[in-house]
mmCIF file of all heavy atoms in Angstrom:
data_model
loop_
_atom_site.group_PDB
_atom_site.id
_atom_site.type_symbol
_atom_site.label_atom_id
_atom_site.label_comp_id
_atom_site.label_asym_id
_atom_site.label_seq_id
_atom_site.Cartn_x
_atom_site.Cartn_y
_atom_site.Cartn_z
ATOM 1 N N GLU A 44 -4.884 4.110 -6.648
ATOM 2 C CA GLU A 44 -5.744 5.236 -6.964
ATOM 3 C C GLU A 44 -6.970 5.031 -5.932
ATOM 4 O O GLU A 44 -7.627 3.977 -5.943
ATOM 5 C CB GLU A 44 -6.193 5.278 -8.408
ATOM 6 C CG GLU A 44 -5.093 5.576 -9.364
ATOM 7 C CD GLU A 44 -5.666 5.459 -10.756
ATOM 8 O OE1 GLU A 44 -6.081 4.215 -11.203
ATOM 9 O OE2 GLU A 44 -5.601 6.391 -11.458
ATOM 10 N N PHE A 45 -7.367 6.014 -5.298
ATOM 11 C CA PHE A 45 -8.425 6.123 -4.376
ATOM 12 C C PHE A 45 -9.849 5.825 -5.073
ATOM 13 O O PHE A 45 -10.021 6.494 -6.102
ATOM 14 C CB PHE A 45 -8.569 7.397 -3.510
ATOM 15 C CG PHE A 45 -9.715 7.499 -2.827
ATOM 16 C CD1 PHE A 45 -9.832 6.930 -1.541
ATOM 17 C CD2 PHE A 45 -10.801 8.361 -3.252
ATOM 18 C CE1 PHE A 45 -11.023 7.176 -0.816
ATOM 19 C CE2 PHE A 45 -11.898 8.508 -2.460
ATOM 20 C CZ PHE A 45 -11.999 7.996 -1.176
ATOM 21 N N LEU A 46 -10.583 4.931 -4.577
ATOM 22 C CA LEU A 46 -11.946 4.764 -5.066
ATOM 23 C C LEU A 46 -13.020 5.221 -4.078
ATOM 24 O O LEU A 46 -13.953 5.982 -4.541
ATOM 25 C CB LEU A 46 -12.098 3.189 -5.401
ATOM 26 C CG LEU A 46 -11.427 2.567 -6.434
ATOM 27 C CD1 LEU A 46 -11.555 1.133 -6.584
ATOM 28 C CD2 LEU A 46 -11.547 3.265 -7.789
ATOM 29 N N THR A 47 -12.947 4.796 -2.821
ATOM 30 C CA THR A 47 -13.974 5.055 -1.916
ATOM 31 C C THR A 47 -13.476 4.761 -0.580
ATOM 32 O O THR A 47 -12.583 4.138 -0.414
ATOM 33 C CB THR A 47 -15.293 4.408 -2.214
ATOM 34 O OG1 THR A 47 -16.429 4.803 -1.458
ATOM 35 C CG2 THR A 47 -15.234 2.868 -2.007
ATOM 36 N N TYR A 48 -14.288 5.383 0.501
ATOM 37 C CA TYR A 48 -13.987 5.013 1.849
ATOM 38 C C TYR A 48 -15.230 5.083 2.635
ATOM 39 O O TYR A 48 -16.148 5.709 2.404
ATOM 40 C CB TYR A 48 -12.811 5.901 2.415
ATOM 41 C CG TYR A 48 -13.232 7.200 3.077
ATOM 42 C CD1 TYR A 48 -13.517 7.243 4.449
ATOM 43 C CD2 TYR A 48 -13.236 8.355 2.216
ATOM 44 C CE1 TYR A 48 -13.858 8.535 5.053
ATOM 45 C CE2 TYR A 48 -13.643 9.529 2.865
ATOM 46 C CZ TYR A 48 -13.904 9.650 4.266
ATOM 47 O OH TYR A 48 -14.237 10.734 4.823
ATOM 48 N N PHE A 49 -15.047 4.205 3.760
ATOM 49 C CA PHE A 49 -16.141 4.157 4.672
ATOM 50 C C PHE A 49 -15.772 4.619 6.104
ATOM 51 O O PHE A 49 -14.621 4.235 6.483
ATOM 52 C CB PHE A 49 -16.795 2.698 4.830
ATOM 53 C CG PHE A 49 -17.379 2.202 3.687
ATOM 54 C CD1 PHE A 49 -16.695 1.718 2.573
ATOM 55 C CD2 PHE A 49 -18.806 2.253 3.598
ATOM 56 C CE1 PHE A 49 -17.281 1.141 1.463
ATOM 57 C CE2 PHE A 49 -19.427 1.763 2.476
ATOM 58 C CZ PHE A 49 -18.709 1.253 1.350
ATOM 59 N N GLN A 50 -16.448 5.329 6.840
ATOM 60 C CA GLN A 50 -16.379 5.663 8.269
ATOM 61 C C GLN A 50 -17.410 4.785 8.893
ATOM 62 O O GLN A 50 -18.554 5.022 8.798
ATOM 63 C CB GLN A 50 -16.348 7.021 8.583
ATOM 64 C CG GLN A 50 -16.144 7.492 9.965
ATOM 65 C CD GLN A 50 -14.823 7.343 10.440
ATOM 66 O OE1 GLN A 50 -13.798 7.525 9.701
ATOM 67 N NE2 GLN A 50 -14.568 7.043 11.650
ATOM 68 N N ASN A 51 -16.821 3.724 9.615
ATOM 69 C CA ASN A 51 -17.929 2.769 10.135
ATOM 70 C C ASN A 51 -18.643 2.270 8.983
ATOM 71 O O ASN A 51 -18.157 1.773 8.062
ATOM 72 C CB ASN A 51 -18.741 3.228 11.228
ATOM 73 C CG ASN A 51 -17.850 3.756 12.400
ATOM 74 O OD1 ASN A 51 -16.966 2.989 12.911
ATOM 75 N ND2 ASN A 51 -17.987 5.117 12.956
ATOM 76 N N GLU A 52 -19.972 2.362 9.033
ATOM 77 C CA GLU A 52 -20.829 1.771 7.848
ATOM 78 C C GLU A 52 -21.204 2.795 6.897
ATOM 79 O O GLU A 52 -21.729 2.396 5.885
ATOM 80 C CB GLU A 52 -22.032 1.052 8.471
ATOM 81 C CG GLU A 52 -23.066 1.985 9.109
ATOM 82 C CD GLU A 52 -22.768 2.289 10.489
ATOM 83 O OE1 GLU A 52 -21.698 1.966 10.967
ATOM 84 O OE2 GLU A 52 -23.597 3.049 11.211
ATOM 85 N N ALA A 53 -20.752 3.964 7.090
ATOM 86 C CA ALA A 53 -21.171 5.091 6.164
ATOM 87 C C ALA A 53 -20.121 5.319 5.038
ATOM 88 O O ALA A 53 -18.889 5.557 5.320
ATOM 89 C CB ALA A 53 -21.372 6.403 7.053
#
Side-chain angles (χ1 to χ4, degrees):
Chain A
E44 295 176 295
F45 170 79
L46 293 178
T47 188
Y48 85 91
F49 293 83
Q50 179 73 29
N51 299 310
E52 66 276 8

